[in-house]
C-alpha cells in the first residue's frame, strides 16, 4: 500500500525559506514521477514542481528560480526547497506520485507566508 506523508510546512515571513519533505512507503520514489502541488483557498490545485523517474524537473513559472524539487533515493523522500517565499505562496502543499499506473496523494501540509 502506497503512502505519502508530507511535513515541513509552517508560518514564515516573506523572503524566508522552508523545506517540505514527502516520505514515501510502499513504492520507490526513484521509480516514480513525483510532484508537488498546492491549493490556495478558493483556487484550484496547481502544479508547483515535478521530477520524472528519469530526473527531469519542471517548475511553474511562478516559482522558477525560487523552488527546487529533489529526491533522496536512500531515504525514499522527495523534497521541495522553497526560498524567497511570497505571501502568494500561501497554500496547502501536496505530494503526488505516479507509480505503476497508480496516482497517489499525501494529506498535505500548510504553508503560510506573512507579509
Amino acid at each position: 500500500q502506497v503512502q505519502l506523508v508530507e511535513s515541513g510546512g509552517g508560518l514564515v515571513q516573506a523572503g524566508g525559506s522552508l523545506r517540505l519533505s514527502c516520505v514515501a512507503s510502499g513504492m520507490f520514489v526513484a521509480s516514480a514521477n513525483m510532484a508537488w502541488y498546492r491549493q490556495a483557498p478558493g483556487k484550484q490545485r496547481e502544479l508547483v514542481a515535478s521530477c520524472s523517474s528519469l530526473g527531469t524537473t519542471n517548475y511553474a513559472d511562478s516559482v522558477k528560480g525560487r523552488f527546487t524539487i529533489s529526491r533522496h533515493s536512500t531515504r525514499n523522500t522527495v523534497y521541495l526547497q522553497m526560498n524567497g517565499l511570497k505571501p502568494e505562496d500561501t497554500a496547502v502543499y501536496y505530494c503526488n506520485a505516479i507509480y505503476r499506473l497508480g496516482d497517489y496523494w499525501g494529506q498535505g501540509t500548510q504553508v503560510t507566508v506573512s507579509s
Side-chain angles (χ1 to χ4, degrees):
Q1 181 179 356
V2 174
Q3 285 191 320
L4 302 173
V5 179
E6 302 103 330
S7 62
L11 174 64
V12 64
Q13 288 189 330
S17 298
L18 285 174
R19 188 178 78 160
L20 306 184
S21 299
C22 171
V23 179
S25 58
M27 58 162 285
F28 298 103
V29 299
S31 302
N33 293 322
M34 304 297 301
W36 287 95
Y37 286 75
R38 68 185 180 187
Q39 187 167 20
K43 295 188 176 181
Q44 290 188 329
R45 191 172 296 190
E46 63 174 354
L47 177 65
V48 176
S50 64
C51 180
S52 75
S53 58
L54 298 178
T56 303
T57 57
N58 283 292
Y59 297 91
D61 288 342
S62 59
V63 307
K64 280 181 182 176
R66 300 188 297 124
F67 291 11
T68 303
I69 187 171
S70 62
R71 62 186 177 194
H72 194 297
S73 297
T74 303
R75 296 174 183 169
N76 214 28
T77 300
V78 176
Y79 301 100
L80 184 67
Q81 178 67 44
M82 306 186 294
N83 299 327
L85 283 161
K86 304 175 180 180
E88 52 263 44
D89 294 319
T90 295
V92 178
Y93 284 70
Y94 297 90
C95 180
N96 172 258
I98 306 297
Y99 179 72
R100 294 184 179 177
L101 302 181
D103 189 358
Y104 305 97
W105 293 89
Q107 82 288 350
T109 185
Q110 176 71 46
V111 172
T112 303
V113 184
S114 64
S115 57

